[in-house]
Structure formats: structure tokens, C-alpha cells
């Protein structure tokens, strides 16, 4: 196989994974933000700070939902089917292993 052909295969295989990696990272960050704001909200004593933290928590929850919806729509995330998610994860793992074998 030519080097050019191998590079083309790599680009085609990795490009969709880039979107998924970015979306996954954003989803995990949003989940972390929700947890952090929820904890901070339970620790605050002043109504004014509580109001600000609740607004931030609501925004973090909405952001998480938007990212999750995007990932579900683009078949990157299957939260309602563990079988589908495991199948999806195995396919991506196999793709990564194949890329390593081809090099």
C-alpha cells in the first residue's frame, strides 16, 4: 500500500473521531461543571450567591443537554441502549487498533 493511500485512510478514519473526541470532552466537562455547581450551591450560605450559582447550574445543565442531544443525533452517544453504546465503543476501539496495525 502506498504512503499516500495510507494517509488518506488515516484522515478518513480519524476525521469523524475528532468530532466525537471533542464532543465527548465537552460532555464530560459539562458533567463536571454540573457536579461542581451543585456542590457549591449546597455549601453557600448567602441567598445572593446561591442565586448566581443556581443560574450557573441551570446553564451547565442546559449545555450538557445540548451536547448530549448533538451526540445522540450524530450517533456518537447511545445513552438509552447499553448494547448500542458497547457496540459503538468496540467499533471505535477496533478502528483505532486497525490504524495502529496499518502503520
Amino acid at each position: 500500500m502506498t504512503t499516500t493511500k495510507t494517509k488518506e485512510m488515516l484522515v478518513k478514519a480519524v476525521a469523524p473521531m475528532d468530532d466525537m473526541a471533542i464532543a465527548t470532552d465537552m460532555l464530560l466537562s459539562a458533567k463536571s461543571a454540573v457536579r461542581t455547581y451543585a456542590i457549591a450551591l449546597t455549601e453557600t450560605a448567602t441567598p445572593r450567591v446561591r442565586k448566581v450559582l443556581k443560574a450557573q447550574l441551570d446553564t451547565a445543565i442546559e449545555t450538557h443537554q445540548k451536547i448530549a442531544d448533538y451526540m445522540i443525533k450524530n450517533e456518537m452517544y447511545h445513552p438509552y441502549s447499553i448494547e448500542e453504546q458497547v457496540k459503538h465503543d468496540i467499533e471505535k476501539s477496533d478502528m483505532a487498533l486497525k490504524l495502529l496495525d496499518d502503520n
Side-chain angles (χ1 to χ4, degrees):
M1 190 178 299
T2 67
T3 303
T4 304
K5 185 95 170 167
T6 303
K7 286 181 182 176
E8 288 173 12
M9 286 175 56
L10 184 63
V11 168
K12 285 180 184 176
V14 172
M17 290 180 65
D18 287 344
D19 289 344
M20 188 173 71
I22 292 167
T24 300
D25 187 55
M26 290 176 67
L27 186 69
L28 293 174
S29 294
K31 285 181 185 204
S32 178
V34 168
R35 281 191 296 273
T36 302
Y37 285 124
I39 291 167
L41 191 58
T42 64
E43 298 296 325
T44 190
T46 62
R48 205 165 155 191
V49 173
R50 192 176 299 115
K51 182 178 179 180
V52 170
L53 289 173
K54 177 143 180 11
Q56 291 298 317
L57 175 60
D58 290 342
T59 300
I61 292 169
E62 290 169 13
T63 300
H64 176 274
Q65 187 63 55
K66 287 176 184 177
I67 297 165
D69 289 346
Y70 169 83
M71 292 180 73
I72 292 166
K73 179 182 171 192
N74 289 283
E75 299 182 2
M76 298 175 186
Y77 183 47
H78 307 277
Y80 305 111
S81 172
I82 190 69
E83 294 85 10
E84 274 298 312
Q85 188 62 48
V86 168
K87 179 182 168 191
H88 178 76
D89 292 344
I90 290 171
E91 287 172 0
K92 297 305 176 198
S93 297
D94 288 344
M95 185 186 301
L97 290 172
K98 185 174 178 347
L99 288 172
L100 290 174
D101 289 342
D102 288 345
N103 287 327

